[in-house]
Amino acid sequence: TRVAGSPSTLAIGDGANDVHMINEAHVGVGIRGLEGLQAANASDYAIGRFHFLERLMLVHGRRNLRRMALVVNYSFYKNFCVVMCLFFFNFVTA
């Protein structure tokens, strides 16, 4: 199946050799580890261990999806109310 819109990339790295990859991706996750903090400093999100990656993607990703869906639904409802007000105003005044 094809996904509508432009694809976004997630880069996960834990060392200095991953810094360029993290900078080129749309979302970068750096992991602090034995190889230093270069990846964590260059990333959008920094975590302490690979273990925290599951929670970052599954829990926070789901919450973000729900928040975005709520904003989209609110926008449709708001626009519907504005259009109905204009419709009734035109109906009454014309």
Side-chain angles (χ1 to χ4, degrees), residues 21-43:
M21 175 183 64
I22 290 172
N23 288 333
E24 290 296 319
H26 293 102
V27 178
V29 177
I31 300 170
R32 296 184 200 107
L34 298 176
E35 296 184 24
L37 297 175
Q38 291 89 357
N41 290 336
S43 65

Side-chain angles (χ1 to χ4, degrees), residues 12-65:
I12 303 167
D14 64 343
N17 60 336
D18 299 323
V19 171
H20 183 67
M21 175 183 64
I22 290 172
N23 288 333
E24 290 296 319
H26 293 102
V27 178
V29 177
I31 300 170
R32 296 184 200 107
L34 298 176
E35 296 184 24
L37 297 175
Q38 291 89 357
N41 290 336
S43 65
D44 299 318
Y45 298 98
I47 58 177
R49 296 183 356 202
F50 275 104
H51 175 73
F52 300 137
L53 189 60
E54 179 182 9
R55 183 162 189 242
L56 176 69
M57 293 189 60
L58 298 179
V59 175
H60 294 290
R62 181 173 187 268
R63 288 180 185 165
N64 185 42
L65 179 66

